[in-house]
Amino acid sequence: MKPTQRFIRLLLAALSWPAASVAFAQGLLVPQAPPAAPQDTLTRAATSVGIKRCLPAITRLSSLTVQGSRSHDVLLDWDRKRPDAGPVFSLIGMEFPNAGVAASITAIPDDSGACTVSAERISVAPFTCASVGQQELASYKMTRLLPNYAVYTDEKEPTSSVSLIDSPPGCLIIRRYVEYGWRDPAAVPGAAPATAAGQPPKKR
């Protein structure tokens, strides 16, 4: 699998968390096909301030992030002097039928024309972290950093992680993904077609 194809597949896996109890019921790591996304506020905001180089990555991430939400809005920080050459930081708040969810998306362009991107999606499940880990992350490697904080990783996705933090009576879930040197598949000559942005990952 080419790096660009792998990146799109991992973006889908990293950013397809449904909200709270719906997430656990449908499967934390293998979400079902999401409904149509609302208008993407982050892409619109980034475009309005002159961000172009990393806009394709921002659009892919943000459109996946807000899928299924009733509404969302964004807090955007960027380099006012060099909007298209500096880093972009965003915090997205989303309203789902049963819960609120937060996500952060960061994009940093480099001199080669590529972008370093990171995305985190933060939600709360109404279950203990132990039950989430046992039922949904059994095949992942668990590293306990604190008595109430465990990180789960999969060797197939070395730049992706799931953090579970006990927050009684629920569990704080942080899904994180980082990619260095990302390039828009549409701009790479001879690149294979990328997976459609709205298509969920296949079950393992």
Side-chain angles (χ1 to χ4, degrees):
M1 180 179 293
K2 294 185 178 181
T4 52
Q5 293 176 300
R6 176 179 172 276
F7 175 60
I8 298 302
R9 182 179 66 82
L10 293 180
L11 286 185
L12 290 164
L15 294 170
S16 298
W17 288 88
S21 59
V22 176
F24 194 84
Q26 293 183 343
L28 291 173
L29 298 178
V30 188
Q32 304 302 308
Q39 189 175 18
D40 178 9
T41 302
L42 176 54
T43 294
R44 189 170 67 247
T47 301
S48 71
V49 300
I51 295 166
K52 300 176 182 178
R53 294 166 62 182
C54 293
L55 189 63
I58 291 171
T59 298
R60 288 171 187 268
L61 288 163
S62 59
S63 62
L64 289 166
T65 298
V66 302
Q67 282 180 344
S69 65
R70 286 178 172 174
S71 61
H72 71 281
D73 213 334
V74 62
L75 175 64
L76 187 68
D77 291 291
W78 72 100
D79 188 335
R80 269 67 169 177
K81 295 181 180 179
R82 305 179 306 139
D84 196 36
V88 182
F89 305 94
S90 67
L91 180 63
I92 304 171
M94 292 162 282
E95 180 186 8
F96 285 85
N98 298 317
V101 176
S104 68
I105 294 174
T106 298
I108 304 173
D110 63 29
D111 294 337
S112 72
C115 296
T116 292
V117 295
S118 71
E120 293 182 343
R121 188 173 174 101
I122 305 165
S123 60
V124 177
F127 307 95
T128 66
C129 288
S131 65
V132 173
Q134 291 170 3
Q135 297 187 39
E136 301 296 333
L137 301 168
S139 64
Y140 279 51
K141 177 184 177 182
M142 189 268 279
T143 301
R144 185 161 296 282
L145 302 182
L146 293 172
N148 67 333
Y149 176 22
V151 177
Y152 292 78
T153 55
D154 184 345
E155 62 180 9
K156 301 184 191 70
E157 301 175 6
T159 61
S160 179
S161 65
V162 182
S163 293
L164 303 183
I165 302 176
D166 286 301
S167 184
C171 178
L172 180 64
I173 303 170
I174 304 172
R175 180 84 180 186
R176 187 168 186 263
Y177 181 79
V178 177
E179 176 76 8
Y180 298 94
W182 183 85
R183 294 178 182 275
D184 183 5
V188 178
T195 302
Q199 182 178 343
K202 295 180 180 180
K203 293 186 178 182
R204 296 177 182 175

